[in-house]
Amino acid sequence: LKERYIRWQGKRIALLTFSINLFFTIAIAAIGLIINNYEGSIFRDKLVFNYPLPKVILILLAISALIGTVALWSRLADFRLTTRTIDIRISLFKVKNNISNESKKQTSQSELETQLGCLKCVTNRLGKITWWLFFLQATLVLLGILILVFSL
């Protein structure tokens, strides 16, 4: 059962990363399309909330691309801290079981448990931040594309 959970968790992580990259790519491609056709007749005299249509969409998509970049940075930081958590768990196991540790610095069990608690808290928050950024990124891309499609 645990192996199945680990397998599906790995798939979920890969799919989230793929989805963030997909929405980022769509945003950049749409930005390129708008920039190439900015002066064309396709956008002439089109307004959204009394602002030129291409500017509104460019702003939405640029913010989405920026949020996607921050989401990827958050994922990388989460992965980095997760590997640190694993290192601390290994050290904690060695300390609890009186196994010699090759580490230069000897750390007490309470220090390791404190570090582990802090890292768990930070990685939990980074995970939640990543998901919120992903939802915001996807919403902005979809909103920009919908405004573009229904305004043309």
Side-chain angles (χ1 to χ4, degrees), residues 88-124:
I88 290 175
R89 283 186 174 157
I90 291 169
S91 296
L92 186 59
F93 176 80
K94 288 179 178 181
V95 167
K96 283 182 177 179
N97 295 297
N98 294 324
I99 299 173
S100 66
N101 195 355
E102 298 87 33
S103 174
K104 297 171 189 131
K105 180 182 164 193
Q106 291 295 328
T107 312
S108 70
Q109 182 176 343
S110 63
E111 286 180 45
L112 290 171
E113 288 171 347
T114 301
Q115 289 176 6
L116 187 60
C118 290
L119 282 173
K120 281 182 178 180
C121 182
V122 172
T123 56
N124 188 22

Side-chain angles (χ1 to χ4, degrees), residues 129-145:
I129 288 169
T130 300
W131 278 101
W132 279 106
L133 289 172
F134 166 69
F135 290 131
L136 186 57
Q137 174 198 24
T139 301
L140 289 174
V141 167
L142 294 174
L143 182 63
I145 299 296

Side-chain angles (χ1 to χ4, degrees), residues 9 15 18 20 24 26-27 31 34 36 46 49 55 58 60 62 67 70 76 82 85 99 114-115 131 134 146 148:
Q9 185 180 25
L15 185 59
F18 173 80
I20 291 170
F24 178 81
I26 291 170
I31 287 171
I34 292 168
N36 282 336
K46 304 245 171 131
F49 306 117
K55 283 186 181 180
L58 280 173
L60 287 174
I67 289 171
V70 173
L76 290 174
T82 299
T85 300
I99 299 173
T114 301
Q115 289 176 6
W131 278 101
F134 166 69
L146 286 174
L148 177 64

